[in-house]
Amino acid sequence: MKLLLIGFGVVGQGLAQILRDKAAELKSKHNFTAEIIGVATASKGALYRSSGLDISALLQAAEGGSFVDFPDQPGLRRDMTVREMIMIGEADVLVEASPTNLETAQPALDFCYQALEAGMHLALANKGPVALDYAGLRAKARAKGLLMRYEATVMAGTPTMRLAQDALAGCEIRSARGILNGTTNYILTQMEKGLSYDDALAQAQAQGYAEADPSGDVEGWDAAGKVLILANALFGGKLAMADLAVSGITAISAADIADANAAGQRYKLIARATPDGGEVKANRLPLDDPLASVGGATNAITLETDLLGDITLIGAGAGKLETGYAILSDLLAIQRRLTAKRNPPANPS
Ligand code: HSE
């Protein structure tokens, strides 16, 4: 499988590291091999090589902050635009892992449409295109017979979308409620331990949890993007940001947190999606609420279903390998689909 990576920050590097370190296991257990043939970033530059880029060299160059130091190799190009990398038509999957823009979803949204037009499947970690134009992208992918996967956009590699869409197929999901932002949950947890808001945020940034612009995390917009993704993907809605009531954690002080604790409660930023709408709001939960015990960058979601009651999934919500793995899980799903297409089951006689 040939990959084109847009963005090579925490998530792109996480995926690259997994592809390198698990290459033998993925080949032997899943007959899966992947080559990164193109990488395009806003800050480090761009690289393209039809026969694949050396992953260790990519990671080393990224550590230095620029692809200028990536060693020259036969066939290596450093001058291609994303559009040219897409239009040359050599990649099977566009991996969109550039920073999320929840106002316009651009430039990622245009790249996604160009990739679908060129016959490439999509694996998105970038929440913008899925949150703002789920229905349009889904329609285009279907019309082209291509897959659009976006496991990384909600709860990193914790299999939220696969649980809801694959494992729970046949159940009606009535609502989704959870802690969907790792940065704010980490900050609230650390503040409860006595750290200042600023120090806790700095730690969340250092650990790679926060967005490039962390105001999107702390003001609730990142969780709101996930609410849109859940609402539109699970409930077939056509909600927009303006339909949601959104607030974050910036107004919560150390005194508020101590106050809640003294009353046997804990602040959590709760995101909720239903077929009719959604919201993001800091709530004081009683300590015996299952979501109250979810600390640090960990996320949790409770899906309310018709046949199974409530199902709660708890796991990583952010991080380098955690989110890189989400993309790997999408790539494996795309490979399973391609394999099934190539080898359809024999007709029963
Ligand atoms: N900034 C996000 C978070 C990353 O903190 O949850 C994962 O979407």
Short mmCIF file of all heavy atoms in Angstrom, two decimals, residues 5-9 11-12 40-42 95-101 105-109 111 124-129 211-212:
data_model
loop_
_atom_site.label_atom_id
_atom_site.label_comp_id
_atom_site.label_asym_id
_atom_site.label_seq_id
_atom_site.Cartn_x
_atom_site.Cartn_y
_atom_site.Cartn_z
N LEU A 5 1.34 11.24 2.87
CA LEU A 5 1.05 11.83 4.18
C LEU A 5 1.01 13.35 4.08
O LEU A 5 2.00 13.96 3.67
CB LEU A 5 2.17 11.47 5.17
CG LEU A 5 1.90 10.39 6.19
CD1 LEU A 5 1.78 9.04 5.52
CD2 LEU A 5 3.02 10.35 7.21
N ILE A 6 -0.10 13.92 4.49
CA ILE A 6 -0.17 15.38 4.57
C ILE A 6 -0.05 15.71 6.05
O ILE A 6 -0.90 15.32 6.85
CB ILE A 6 -1.50 15.95 4.02
CG1 ILE A 6 -1.81 15.33 2.65
CG2 ILE A 6 -1.42 17.47 3.94
CD1 ILE A 6 -0.78 15.56 1.59
N GLY A 7 1.01 16.41 6.39
CA GLY A 7 1.29 16.70 7.79
C GLY A 7 2.26 15.65 8.32
O GLY A 7 2.12 14.45 8.04
N PHE A 8 3.27 16.11 9.04
CA PHE A 8 4.21 15.16 9.67
C PHE A 8 4.57 15.69 11.05
O PHE A 8 5.72 15.88 11.41
CB PHE A 8 5.45 14.99 8.78
CG PHE A 8 6.18 13.70 9.05
CD1 PHE A 8 5.58 12.47 8.78
CD2 PHE A 8 7.47 13.70 9.56
CE1 PHE A 8 6.24 11.27 9.04
CE2 PHE A 8 8.14 12.51 9.81
CZ PHE A 8 7.52 11.29 9.55
N GLY A 9 3.52 15.94 11.83
CA GLY A 9 3.69 16.35 13.22
C GLY A 9 3.61 15.11 14.09
O GLY A 9 4.02 14.01 13.69
N VAL A 11 1.21 13.14 14.95
CA VAL A 11 0.45 11.98 14.46
C VAL A 11 1.16 11.30 13.30
O VAL A 11 1.31 10.06 13.28
CB VAL A 11 -0.98 12.43 14.04
CG1 VAL A 11 -1.75 11.24 13.50
CG2 VAL A 11 -1.70 13.07 15.21
N GLY A 12 1.61 12.09 12.34
CA GLY A 12 2.30 11.51 11.18
C GLY A 12 3.55 10.77 11.61
O GLY A 12 3.84 9.67 11.12
N ALA A 40 4.04 15.84 2.81
CA ALA A 40 3.97 17.29 2.56
C ALA A 40 3.59 17.98 3.86
O ALA A 40 2.65 17.58 4.53
CB ALA A 40 2.93 17.59 1.49
N THR A 41 4.36 18.99 4.22
CA THR A 41 4.07 19.72 5.46
C THR A 41 4.18 21.22 5.19
O THR A 41 4.82 21.65 4.22
CB THR A 41 5.09 19.38 6.57
OG1 THR A 41 6.34 20.01 6.24
CG2 THR A 41 5.31 17.88 6.71
N ALA A 42 3.59 22.02 6.08
CA ALA A 42 3.68 23.47 5.93
C ALA A 42 5.02 23.98 6.45
O ALA A 42 5.55 24.97 5.97
CB ALA A 42 2.54 24.14 6.68
N VAL A 95 -3.28 10.06 3.62
CA VAL A 95 -3.38 10.16 5.08
C VAL A 95 -3.33 11.65 5.43
O VAL A 95 -2.31 12.30 5.21
CB VAL A 95 -2.21 9.40 5.77
CG1 VAL A 95 -2.27 9.60 7.28
CG2 VAL A 95 -2.24 7.93 5.41
N GLU A 96 -4.45 12.19 5.90
CA GLU A 96 -4.51 13.63 6.21
C GLU A 96 -4.27 13.79 7.70
O GLU A 96 -5.14 13.49 8.51
CB GLU A 96 -5.88 14.19 5.81
CG GLU A 96 -5.82 15.50 5.02
CD GLU A 96 -4.97 16.61 5.63
OE1 GLU A 96 -4.73 16.61 6.84
OE2 GLU A 96 -4.56 17.51 4.88
N ALA A 97 -3.11 14.27 8.06
CA ALA A 97 -2.75 14.44 9.47
C ALA A 97 -2.16 15.82 9.70
O ALA A 97 -1.27 16.01 10.53
CB ALA A 97 -1.77 13.35 9.90
N SER A 98 -2.65 16.78 8.92
CA SER A 98 -2.17 18.16 9.13
C SER A 98 -3.03 18.81 10.22
O SER A 98 -4.07 18.26 10.59
CB SER A 98 -2.20 18.94 7.82
OG SER A 98 -3.52 19.08 7.37
N PRO A 99 -2.60 19.97 10.74
CA PRO A 99 -3.37 20.57 11.85
C PRO A 99 -4.83 20.84 11.48
O PRO A 99 -5.13 21.24 10.35
CB PRO A 99 -2.62 21.88 12.12
CG PRO A 99 -1.23 21.63 11.64
CD PRO A 99 -1.37 20.73 10.46
N THR A 100 -5.70 20.59 12.45
CA THR A 100 -7.14 20.74 12.23
C THR A 100 -7.53 22.21 12.15
O THR A 100 -7.10 23.02 12.96
CB THR A 100 -7.89 20.07 13.40
OG1 THR A 100 -7.70 18.66 13.31
CG2 THR A 100 -9.38 20.38 13.37
N ASN A 101 -8.38 22.52 11.17
CA ASN A 101 -8.97 23.85 11.08
C ASN A 101 -10.48 23.63 11.13
O ASN A 101 -11.07 23.08 10.20
CB ASN A 101 -8.54 24.50 9.75
CG ASN A 101 -9.25 25.81 9.48
OD1 ASN A 101 -10.30 26.09 10.03
ND2 ASN A 101 -8.66 26.62 8.62
N ALA A 105 -11.91 23.94 7.48
CA ALA A 105 -11.36 22.60 7.18
C ALA A 105 -10.30 22.64 6.08
O ALA A 105 -9.81 21.61 5.64
CB ALA A 105 -12.46 21.61 6.80
N GLN A 106 -9.95 23.83 5.64
CA GLN A 106 -8.97 23.95 4.55
C GLN A 106 -7.54 24.07 5.07
O GLN A 106 -7.35 24.47 6.20
CB GLN A 106 -9.31 25.17 3.68
CG GLN A 106 -10.64 25.04 2.97
CD GLN A 106 -10.66 23.94 1.91
OE1 GLN A 106 -9.74 23.12 1.82
NE2 GLN A 106 -11.72 23.91 1.12
N PRO A 107 -6.53 23.74 4.30
CA PRO A 107 -6.62 23.25 2.92
C PRO A 107 -6.93 21.76 2.81
O PRO A 107 -7.07 21.22 1.73
CB PRO A 107 -5.23 23.53 2.36
CG PRO A 107 -4.33 23.41 3.56
CD PRO A 107 -5.11 23.90 4.74
N ALA A 108 -7.08 21.09 3.97
CA ALA A 108 -7.23 19.63 3.94
C ALA A 108 -8.45 19.18 3.14
O ALA A 108 -8.41 18.16 2.43
CB ALA A 108 -7.33 19.10 5.37
N LEU A 109 -9.54 19.95 3.25
CA LEU A 109 -10.77 19.52 2.57
C LEU A 109 -10.56 19.43 1.06
O LEU A 109 -10.98 18.45 0.43
CB LEU A 109 -11.90 20.50 2.91
CG LEU A 109 -13.29 20.11 2.43
CD1 LEU A 109 -13.71 18.75 2.98
CD2 LEU A 109 -14.31 21.17 2.86
N PHE A 111 -7.75 18.91 -0.46
CA PHE A 111 -6.88 17.75 -0.74
C PHE A 111 -7.69 16.46 -0.72
O PHE A 111 -7.46 15.55 -1.52
CB PHE A 111 -5.75 17.66 0.29
CG PHE A 111 -4.81 18.85 0.30
CD1 PHE A 111 -4.19 19.25 1.47
CD2 PHE A 111 -4.55 19.56 -0.86
CE1 PHE A 111 -3.32 20.34 1.49
CE2 PHE A 111 -3.69 20.66 -0.85
CZ PHE A 111 -3.08 21.05 0.33
N LEU A 124 -8.17 9.78 7.75
CA LEU A 124 -8.04 11.13 8.30
C LEU A 124 -7.79 11.13 9.80
O LEU A 124 -8.50 10.47 10.55
CB LEU A 124 -9.34 11.91 8.05
CG LEU A 124 -9.61 12.27 6.60
CD1 LEU A 124 -10.96 11.77 6.18
CD2 LEU A 124 -9.53 13.76 6.43
N ALA A 125 -6.78 11.91 10.21
CA ALA A 125 -6.63 12.25 11.62
C ALA A 125 -7.09 13.69 11.81
O ALA A 125 -7.45 14.11 12.91
CB ALA A 125 -5.18 12.11 12.05
N ASN A 126 -7.07 14.45 10.72
CA ASN A 126 -7.52 15.84 10.71
C ASN A 126 -9.04 15.86 10.86
O ASN A 126 -9.77 15.30 10.03
CB ASN A 126 -7.10 16.46 9.37
CG ASN A 126 -7.37 17.94 9.33
OD1 ASN A 126 -8.32 18.43 9.93
ND2 ASN A 126 -6.54 18.65 8.60
N LYS A 127 -9.50 16.52 11.94
CA LYS A 127 -10.94 16.49 12.24
C LYS A 127 -11.76 17.43 11.35
O LYS A 127 -12.96 17.22 11.16
CB LYS A 127 -11.17 16.88 13.71
CG LYS A 127 -10.74 15.79 14.66
CD LYS A 127 -10.48 16.33 16.04
CE LYS A 127 -9.06 16.82 16.13
NZ LYS A 127 -8.35 16.63 17.35
N GLY A 128 -11.10 18.47 10.82
CA GLY A 128 -11.84 19.50 10.08
C GLY A 128 -12.72 18.95 8.97
O GLY A 128 -13.94 19.18 8.97
N PRO A 129 -12.16 18.22 8.01
CA PRO A 129 -12.99 17.76 6.90
C PRO A 129 -14.16 16.87 7.34
O PRO A 129 -15.26 16.98 6.80
CB PRO A 129 -12.00 16.97 6.03
CG PRO A 129 -10.66 17.56 6.35
CD PRO A 129 -10.73 17.92 7.80
N GLU A 211 -3.68 20.53 20.54
CA GLU A 211 -3.64 20.93 19.14
C GLU A 211 -2.53 21.96 18.95
O GLU A 211 -2.04 22.55 19.92
CB GLU A 211 -4.97 21.56 18.75
CG GLU A 211 -6.16 20.63 18.83
CD GLU A 211 -6.02 19.41 17.93
OE1 GLU A 211 -5.89 19.57 16.73
OE2 GLU A 211 -6.03 18.28 18.46
N ALA A 212 -2.18 22.20 17.67
CA ALA A 212 -1.15 23.21 17.38
C ALA A 212 -1.54 24.53 18.06
O ALA A 212 -0.69 25.22 18.63
CB ALA A 212 -1.02 23.38 15.87
#
